[in-house]
Amino acid sequence: MIIGLTGGIGSGKSTVARAFESLGASWVDADIVAREIVAPGEPALSAIIDYFGSDVANQDGTLDRAALRSLIFEDSSKREWLESLTHPIIRERLVAHLTSLSHDSPYVLLVSPLLFESGQNMLVARTIVVDVPTDVQLSRTLARDGVSPKQVRAILAAQMSREERLANADDVIDNSGDYDFMMRQVERLDSIYRTR
């Protein structure tokens, strides 16, 4: 069984995924796959540089993610172009990873910030939303990523709203408390998923 795990920026998706992993579940991170497909030598990287210009490339030929982020969150048409290029490639790689892991795990998590927006929820049997208040998302992201409050707000505005994510969720993990609080919720869901 494949379970989709999503949440807004700064909600703690990776922390929750590692908690499930500690109980024996495998997981695939769509963000890692998204980085793989824009590595040097990948066709997607060449297309991105052709479209946005050399300012989005570092001197070593890697993608300057910060430069690209600032461009796409200032102009929704540029973000839409990037998503139309990358989402199908990401989906294809995710399917391959999920298929390879499903033989060795009681269930597999697909961890994706854009699970619903990208249609990746069609690949899963159930969905978990990792939920925190918006002010917690803002403070965690500022502390972690070193970006400006304006950039974080632009990212939050571009993502599905908290209310929409919760309305689409089969299960919710409240990650606004401490680790033990989160882990109890993970253990409860793990027990349920193992019986399905």
Side-chain angles (χ1 to χ4, degrees):
M1 178 166 62
I2 301 171
I3 312 287
L5 189 150
T6 193
I9 190 169
S11 61
K13 294 177 294 297
S14 296
T15 301
V16 171
R18 284 190 290 273
F20 277 103
E21 183 179 41
S22 74
L23 299 175
S26 298
W27 58 294
V28 177
D29 188 329
D31 278 348
I32 292 172
V33 172
R35 283 191 283 278
E36 289 173 1
I37 69 153
V38 294
E42 291 282 345
L45 178 60
S46 300
I48 290 167
I49 293 170
D50 287 346
Y51 182 83
F52 290 100
S54 59
D55 289 347
V56 298
N58 293 311
Q59 287 187 344
D60 64 359
T62 59
L63 181 65
D64 184 338
R65 298 178 71 79
L68 182 62
R69 185 184 307 123
S70 75
L71 289 172
I72 64 170
F73 286 109
E74 289 172 5
D75 183 337
S76 62
S77 66
K78 290 179 179 175
R79 187 179 79 248
E80 289 165 8
W81 179 89
L82 182 66
E83 289 173 352
S84 72
L85 169 73
T86 58
H87 284 186
I89 302 168
I90 292 167
R91 183 186 182 96
E92 183 179 312
R93 297 241 182 132
L94 286 173
V95 168
H97 288 310
L98 291 165
T99 301
S100 70
L101 290 173
S102 62
H103 306 295
D104 303 322
S105 182
Y107 56 90
V108 179
L109 296 175
L110 167 54
V111 181
S112 176
L114 300 175
L115 185 75
F116 299 118
E117 297 93 325
S118 67
Q120 292 168 359
N121 60 310
M122 302 307 288
L123 301 173
V124 305
R126 290 192 68 77
T127 59
I128 304 168
V129 168
V130 180
D131 184 54
V132 295
T134 305
D135 61 324
V136 173
Q137 286 182 271
L138 182 64
S139 62
R140 284 182 183 172
T141 305
L142 288 172
R144 180 190 70 194
D145 294 350
V147 294
S148 71
K150 180 182 176 185
Q151 267 192 313
V152 178
R153 287 189 187 93
I155 293 168
L156 287 168
Q159 291 185 335
M160 181 178 278
S161 73
R162 180 182 182 199
E163 294 75 22
E164 286 177 286
R165 265 193 307 275
L166 289 170
N168 283 292
D170 293 311
D171 302 302
V172 177
I173 292 179
D174 177 353
N175 198 23
S176 60
D178 63 16
Y179 185 85
D180 289 340
F181 175 63
M182 179 270 296
M183 192 67 198
R184 286 192 298 276
Q185 297 171 78
V186 168
E187 288 169 345
R188 182 183 65 80
L189 289 175
D190 174 75
S191 176
I192 292 169
Y193 298 154
R194 285 174 184 274
T195 63
R196 292 193 172 191

